[in-house]
């Protein structure tokens, strides 16, 4: 992962949870702020004259993206209502797939025929158009009375996640046993432990850690991390393989990656029809991701592209199948007014899984010297880990006894977790979660 990508990953994950409580309360305002930040970061990147400024711009855009994701989830949960959640998550995943398709094609074309600055510059008017559209079309609702910024918890959790992600991302570069990396992991563990203590003692924490007593929430967050662990392992080597081994140019590489997006765009609609049975959908999707990685690991210089594209389609179909159900599972494992928090947890799980995927793949590649000899063992290791985690996710998801429906989170304080008689009676219905 590039330095810019590492900074952006840390910004996304560390901002996601800390913005989630605000996103749940002021979804539209947070979305507008996120779009504005994203545009500002893109403009900074387009004008950058040195790597430090470019990295800073990517960090600002990453922070904006981390505000956007929980806000969109909270707004979608409100607008869709209980009966439309599965379709809303399918549409959300479809949007991700189409965005990835446009990004790959645009990036490849710009890389070969224009300048990389064009990509960043194009985001500015697009974000401005989205700001205008959101301001005009998206309804506001009352602020949730359960919202709070929890400054102490915010700082502790942000610092802890930042330290852990720094260790994961930079581990292959500095060595896993180097003092810098060991210190980062130790600092992360201490800060997260302090966050847990502070949150358990607070009357209105950022979120109550006891929500993870719910088996379904544990399973869905693990599943989210597992899926992105596999995907980003592939992302790390995919372009290198297509350009360095197959000899494709940037534009052709952008086209060659299209099969990886097709399943993400087409399968979620099918998965929505099976939303009443999320357990096999999640297990099957994650299993396809693991199987696809094992298939891609067999690719070499002589591998025909159609065969390689078939394995990309397997991965893509698995992603499109399981991600809507996993996202919905995280959100519905919490009370409705905490939809933004659920999205923040999902975003953090995705970013941590992505960072781990890059770190594990990079470490295995480094031990083999180059991409030609290291790609196959790296993807085999990741594929087998994904399949092993799939078993844990599938078993854990069934721990609630029913195949569908939200799980009541654990925790003694109704004002902190949304549980208790009011939640059970449905008094915290959708509509109090966004503004």
């Amino acid at each position: 992962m590039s330095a810019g990508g590492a900074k952006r990953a840390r910004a996304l994950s560390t901002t996601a949870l800390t913005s989630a409580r605000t996103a749940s309360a002021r979804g539209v305002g947070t979305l507008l702020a996120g779009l504005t930040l994203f545009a500002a970061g893109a403009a900074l990147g387009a004008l950058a004259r040195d790597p430090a400024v470019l990295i800073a711009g990517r960090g600002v855009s990453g922070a904006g993206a981390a505000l956007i994701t929980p806000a969109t989830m909270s707004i979608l949960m409100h607008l869709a209502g209980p009966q439309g959640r599965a379709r809303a998550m399918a549409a959300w995943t479809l949007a991700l797939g189409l965005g990835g398709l446009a990004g790959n094609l645009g990036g490849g074309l710009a890389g070969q025929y224009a300048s990389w600055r064009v990509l960043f510059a194009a985001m500015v008017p697009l974000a401005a158009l989205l700001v205008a559209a959101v301001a005009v079309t998206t309804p506001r609702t009352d602020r949730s009375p359960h919202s709070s910024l929890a400054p102490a918890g915010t700082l502790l959790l942000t610092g802890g996640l930042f330290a852990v992600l720094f260790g994961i991302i930079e581990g292959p570069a500095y060595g896993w046993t180097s003092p810098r990396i060991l210190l980062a992991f130790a600092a992360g563990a201490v800060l997260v432990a302090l966050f847990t203590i502070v949150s358990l003692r607070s009357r209105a924490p950022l979120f109550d850690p006891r929500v993870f007593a719910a088996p379904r929430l544990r399973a869905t967050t693990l599943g989210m991390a597992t899926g992105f662990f596999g995907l980003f392992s592939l992302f790390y080597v995919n372009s290198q393989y297509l350009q360095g081994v197959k000899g494709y140019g940037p534009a052709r590489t952008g086209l060659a990656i299209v099969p990886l997006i097709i399943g993400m765009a087409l399968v979620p609609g099918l998965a929505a029809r099976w939303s009443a049975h999320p357990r096999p959908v999640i297990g099957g999707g994650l299993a396809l991701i693991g199987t696809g990685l094992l298939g891609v690991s067999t690719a070499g210089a002589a591998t025909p592209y159609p065969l390689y594209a078939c394995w990309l389609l397997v991965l893509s179909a698995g992603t499109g199948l399981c991600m809507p159900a996993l996202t919905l599972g995280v959100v519905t494992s919490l009370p409705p007014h905490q939809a933004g928090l659920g999205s923040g947890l999902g975003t953090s799980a995705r970013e941590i899984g992505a960072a781990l995927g890059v770190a594990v793949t990079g470490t295995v590649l480094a031990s083999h010297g180059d991409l030609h000899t290291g790609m196959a063992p790296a993807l085999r290791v990741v594929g087998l880990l994904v399949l092993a985690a799939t078993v844990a996710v599938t078993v854990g998801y069934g721990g609630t006894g029913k195949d569908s429906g939200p799980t009541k989170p654990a925790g003694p304080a109704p004002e902190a977790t949304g549980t208790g008689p009011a939640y059970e009676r449905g008094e915290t219905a959708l509509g109090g979660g966004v503004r």
Side-chain angles (χ1 to χ4, degrees), residues 234 238 241-242 296 299 303-313 375:
L234 175 69
N238 192 40
Y241 167 76
L242 291 171
V296 173
T303 301
Y305 172 74
L307 177 58
Y308 185 78
C310 286
W311 289 120
L312 294 185
L313 283 171
M375 176 176 163

Side-chain angles (χ1 to χ4, degrees), residues 160-366:
L161 288 177
F162 187 94
V164 169
L165 280 174
F166 176 87
I168 292 172
I169 294 170
E170 303 295 344
Y174 291 102
W176 293 104
T177 58
S178 68
R180 181 177 304 194
I181 299 304
L182 292 177
L183 180 61
F185 283 131
V190 170
L191 290 171
V192 171
L194 288 174
F195 165 78
T196 302
I197 294 171
V198 169
S199 297
L200 291 175
R201 293 180 177 179
S202 173
R203 292 182 59 85
L206 182 67
F207 78 93
D208 192 325
R210 284 167 288 195
V211 297
F212 284 107
R216 182 165 297 183
L217 183 60
R218 293 199 305 269
T220 48
T221 51
L222 174 61
M224 196 80 72
T226 299
F228 273 72
F229 173 73
L231 284 174
F232 272 73
S233 174
L234 175 69
F235 294 164
Y236 186 78
V237 300
N238 192 40
S239 293
Q240 296 182 67
Y241 167 76
L242 291 171
Q243 296 186 71
V245 177
K246 300 294 286 182
Y248 293 178
R252 191 177 180 187
T253 297
L255 288 171
I257 294 174
V258 168
L260 191 58
I261 311 300
I262 291 176
M264 292 178 63
L266 299 181
V267 176
L270 180 63
R273 300 179 184 179
W274 302 331
S275 59
H277 307 285
R279 190 181 184 192
V281 169
I282 290 171
L286 291 175
L288 284 175
I289 293 175
T291 302
L293 286 168
L294 294 179
V296 173
S297 72
T298 64
T303 301
Y305 172 74
L307 177 58
Y308 185 78
C310 286
W311 289 120
L312 294 185
L313 283 171
V314 171
L315 269 155
S316 179
T319 303
L321 187 64
C322 68
M323 283 303 160
L326 285 168
T327 304
L328 187 60
V330 172
V331 173
T332 57
S333 293
L334 294 168
H337 71 272
Q338 290 186 319
L341 172 59
S343 179
L345 288 172
T347 299
S348 293
R350 288 193 295 268
E351 294 302 326
I352 291 172
L356 280 171
V358 171
V360 170
T361 305
T363 299
V364 177
L365 284 176

Side-chain angles (χ1 to χ4, degrees), residues 17-25 146-149 205-207 338 341 416:
L17 272 174
T18 56
S19 68
R21 182 62 70 90
T22 304
S24 181
H146 303 279
S147 302
S148 64
L149 292 178
L206 182 67
F207 78 93
Q338 290 186 319
L341 172 59

